[in-house]
Amino acid sequence: MKMQFKTIEYNKQNNEIIILDQTKLPEEEKYMKLKTVEDMYNAIKNMHLRGAPLIGVAAAYGVVLAACSDSSADVIKAADYIKSARPTAVNLGWAIQRMKDKIGDEKNLFEILLKEARSIENEDKESCRKIGEFGTDLIKDNSKIMVHCNAGALATSGIGTALGVLYTAKSRGKKFEVYSCETRPLLQGARLTSWELTANDIETYTICDNMAATYMPDMNLVLVGADRIASNGDTANKIGTKGLAIIAQHYNVPFYVAAPISTFDLNIKSGNDIPIEIRCEDEIRKFNTKGIVAEKAKICNPAFDVTPASLITNIITEKGIIKPPFEHKIEKATKNVQ
Ligand code: MRU
């Protein structure tokens, strides 16, 4: 299955990265060029590209930008700087570590790092494809499926994780409807998921986040992505995911997480240790640049929440479907993966 857009592409001739600017969607399909490490840091921080796997791939190419001219020591500094752009998606630190592990003496540094970045990108594409293959059996004909945020092709360099499952199911001839939560405050569901699903002829309803409990009793399953999964299966994903999981359990609706092995963090035992990004107040205070909140009101803006493992039915990975109890199975699945 081929998407009609490319989220990221490295141009060796000009040592630049071309990304689809996701802040402009769905009005404009506009591409932007990133030429420096600072450009990449800002693109990740300001979410011109986003989604855990894509952030990892982009970060790796960001290191390549530095390797074109800098010494090994400076490339390491650049890598650490890119890593600091966003704290929650573990794919960012994971990709940066893979790149740093390849930094030795200066000889052939650029080619070595470019090769590694390309491997990270190709592995991401392949993981998405396999997640789609493993997940497709969970989609029964005529299902209604609730999704949150954007865990699609826009969030990866391949066909996506959660939405990759849907594309694969569609290619097998299955019929289903998707209910996409708008995902306040940055509207990844409304702006991005509805755009890419409808572009691929998948019947999509966009609902406001506060309509989830109303529609949940009609759902056959909930399917979401992940930014970091702890050793025990606790899963950080876009804010609002935990609420969906609680509602799904209330109505006995299966709740599936789709994520590549690079999203697991075996260094942490539980979700309590996952760092949650707090984003700027204006994302809540303003709507389309217009102020909508009383000036004296304070703002909370955590970008992610943690769904306890006990609310998750299965985790779909490129190594297969992990069923509870998760702990030892997660350890086993993550072995032999870089
Ligand atoms: O803040 P974002 O848009 O980067 O958050 C993205 C998500 O929460 C996705 O669900 C997650 O990264 C998985 S993407 C395959």
Side-chain angles (χ1 to χ4, degrees):
M1 153 134 221
K2 204 163 161 43
M3 295 292 146
Q4 70 282 24
F5 56 84
K6 254 193 160 176
T7 49
I8 190 159
E9 189 166 17
Y10 175 70
N11 176 340
K12 190 175 178 189
Q13 206 174 356
N14 300 340
N15 192 37
E16 65 187 14
I17 300 160
I18 298 149
I19 62 160
L20 175 57
D21 184 353
Q22 301 194 24
T23 64
K24 299 278 189 293
L25 290 170
E27 290 87 7
E28 279 180 276
E29 196 175 326
K30 217 174 156 191
Y31 289 81
M32 70 193 275
K33 287 181 180 169
L34 310 179
K35 290 176 174 291
T36 64
V37 166
E38 190 66 29
D39 287 348
M40 178 52 78
Y41 174 89
N42 288 326
I44 295 174
K45 188 162 187 63
N46 301 324
M47 295 171 65
H48 294 282
L49 59 86
R50 28 69 50 205
L54 183 60
I55 293 172
V57 172
Y61 281 117
V63 176
V64 173
L65 291 181
C68 194
S69 51
D70 295 355
S71 66
S72 296
D74 286 342
V75 176
I76 290 174
K77 271 192 211 146
D80 288 337
Y81 179 58
I82 294 170
K83 185 183 167 195
S84 70
R86 292 188 77 188
T88 303
V90 74
N91 306 60
L92 174 53
W94 167 86
I96 290 289
Q97 193 54 51
R98 271 186 63 169
M99 298 299 282
K100 280 170 75 174
D101 288 346
K102 293 284 170 190
I103 301 174
D105 59 29
E106 245 100 287
K107 210 166 151 254
N108 291 335
L109 184 59
F110 172 79
E111 288 298 339
I112 290 167
L113 291 180
L114 178 57
K115 188 166 170 236
E116 189 65 2
R118 288 203 160 125
S119 300
I120 291 172
E121 179 184 350
N122 290 333
E123 286 167 30
D124 176 48
K125 286 191 170 76
E126 185 58 8
S127 297
C128 290
R129 194 188 65 72
K130 287 189 177 151
I131 288 170
E133 294 282 330
F134 282 116
T136 187
D137 287 345
L138 301 170
I139 313 291
K140 304 283 172 259
D141 225 7
N142 299 314
S143 293
K144 291 180 196 278
I145 301 156
M146 192 173 285
V147 299
H148 192 59
C149 191
N150 173 269
L154 286 169
T156 67
S157 58
I159 60 167
T161 56
L163 301 192
V165 172
L166 301 184
Y167 296 134
T168 310
K170 182 168 190 286
S171 71
R172 304 277 154 86
K174 293 187 186 177
K175 297 203 172 28
F176 51 86
E177 285 173 358
V178 179
Y179 289 71
S180 163
C181 298
E182 64 174 349
T183 319
R184 279 278 287 152
L186 295 181
L187 304 172
Q188 289 93 331
R191 293 189 304 106
L192 308 178
T193 295
S194 69
W195 182 76
E196 68 161 272
L197 286 180
T198 54
N200 285 290
D201 295 324
I202 290 180
E203 196 169 347
T204 308
Y205 294 86
T206 297
I207 60 168
C208 297
D209 297 325
N210 51 11
M211 296 171 188
T214 296
Y215 285 94
M216 193 61 83
D218 300 333
M219 294 299 126
N220 297 95
L221 65 144
V222 180
L223 184 54
V224 297
D227 285 84
R228 192 185 294 234
I229 303 175
S231 314
N232 69 347
D234 289 352
T235 295
N237 191 49
K238 180 53 56 193
I239 190 79
T241 303
K242 178 183 175 178
L244 290 186
I246 294 168
I247 301 168
Q249 191 187 54
H250 181 81
Y251 288 109
N252 250 323
V253 175
F255 185 93
Y256 296 106
V257 172
I261 296 295
S262 53
T263 300
F264 288 79
D265 185 353
L266 289 193
N267 294 319
I268 55 171
K269 279 199 164 64
S270 80
N272 294 335
D273 301 322
I274 299 179
I276 299 294
E277 177 180 11
I278 306 296
R279 292 190 62 87
C280 75
E281 291 193 358
D282 273 0
E283 290 179 357
I284 308 270
R285 217 174 256 297
K286 295 183 178 164
F287 198 82
N288 269 345
T289 69
K290 189 180 180 312
I292 54 163
V293 179
E295 262 173 42
K296 282 187 185 163
K298 294 180 180 165
I299 300 287
C300 306
N301 189 13
F304 301 95
D305 58 25
V306 177
T307 300
S310 59
L311 297 179
I312 297 170
T313 309
N314 289 172
I315 306 174
I316 309 161
T317 76
E318 71 271 34
K319 295 274 201 93
I321 294 180
I322 307 180
K323 298 183 174 167
F326 293 120
E327 211 136 5
H328 295 296
K329 294 175 201 159
I330 287 178
E331 204 187 324
K332 206 169 148 219
T334 51
K335 275 203 181 123
N336 304 323
V337 173
Q338 283 205 50

